[in-house]
Amino acid sequence: ACAELAAGLAARGVQRGDRVGVLMDVSLDSVVLWFAVARLGAVYAPVNTSYLGDFLRHQIVDSGAKLFVVDRDYAVRLNGIADEVPALERVIIRGGSPEQSLPWPVADFGELPVEPEAPFLPVSPDDLAMLIYTSGMTGPSKGCMISHGYACQHMRTMRAGHLLERHDVIHLSLPFFHLVAPCGLTLAAAEVGAQVAVIPRFSVSKF
């Protein structure tokens, strides 16, 4: 699935070093998307799903995202900032057509071209893998530059600290715009062969 999605992104013009903006709830698709972006040597730039208006504009502009992947329910937020994100060139929507049309070329996440072989671009530990934004408590959110090497080291720390083993099952409801979800938990589970139960959002009553 990762290789197929990577091929679909490449067909939409994603190249090494490109920033891929993401506004999605936690799902299997968001996990696969993260690996697919890394496979292309591109940069995963997730946005807080509560953001809209100037907060959303700031992270899209600051990251330099040319492609934006968004859940259908959040897509309409892009219209409010359309004139303020000149670098954005195309949008991929997951979950069906949005309520309003968008002023960019739009593709359906589930209908991206599928190829049997996707490009796999080697990266070095120092290459940029992610832009994870701070909460913005002291001003506009700052993009923390997470390298592939840092992501792997964070994974090792989380794996050791939680004593993760193959038989474990991780309850994952943390959003992917938080470093712990992709690097600390998902990657650690993959490393030891554990399972991850993906939950779109945490619910106290259902937990």
Side-chain angles (χ1 to χ4, degrees):
C2 171
E4 293 174 350
L5 181 54
L9 294 175
R12 295 291 173 179
V14 177
Q15 301 177 3
R16 178 192 289 275
D18 285 349
R19 274 64 168 167
V20 178
V22 179
L23 187 65
M24 298 172 65
D25 289 325
V26 182
S27 66
L28 179 58
D29 285 338
S30 62
V31 175
V32 174
L33 176 62
W34 178 56
F35 281 108
V37 171
R39 183 184 181 96
L40 295 174
V43 180
Y44 187 84
V47 176
N48 189 318
T49 51
S50 66
Y51 281 3
L52 45 79
D54 194 55
F55 292 97
L56 177 60
R57 178 206 60 77
H58 167 71
Q59 290 196 6
I60 295 176
V61 171
D62 186 76
S63 68
K66 295 181 180 179
L67 174 73
F68 204 72
V69 186
V70 57
D71 278 344
R72 174 188 179 277
D73 292 343
Y74 301 135
V76 67
R77 300 182 188 180
L78 296 175
N79 276 340
I81 58 171
D83 294 335
E84 304 174 72
V85 286
L88 188 58
E89 296 178 354
R90 60 182 67 239
V91 175
I92 296 175
I93 299 179
R94 173 183 174 270
S97 300
E99 296 178 359
Q100 301 176 8
S101 61
L102 302 178
W104 301 278
V106 173
D108 188 297
F109 186 90
E111 297 180 359
L112 292 174
V114 174
E115 302 290 342
E117 294 291 337
F120 186 86
L121 302 178
V123 295
S124 75
D126 293 333
D127 285 342
L128 185 61
M130 308 170 68
L131 288 172
I132 298 293
Y133 281 82
T134 63
S135 60
M137 294 294 290
T138 59
S141 298
K142 302 169 184 65
C144 298
M145 301 172 70
I146 308 300
S147 67
H148 287 271
Y150 184 92
C152 290
Q153 181 57 41
H154 186 68
M155 172 271 291
R156 296 184 188 101
T157 301
M158 292 290 291
R159 182 191 64 196
H162 292 286
L163 304 177
L164 289 178
E165 298 179 0
R166 184 178 181 83
H167 64 267
D168 289 326
V169 178
I170 297 173
H171 176 280
L172 178 64
S173 57
L174 282 172
F176 258 51
F177 57 81
H178 192 295
L179 184 63
V180 170
C183 298
L185 297 178
T186 307
L187 201 57
E191 173 74 6
V192 300
Q195 296 184 57
V196 177
V198 179
I199 313 297
R201 59 182 62 83
F202 181 76
S203 168
V204 174
S205 61
K206 294 178 180 179
F207 183 73

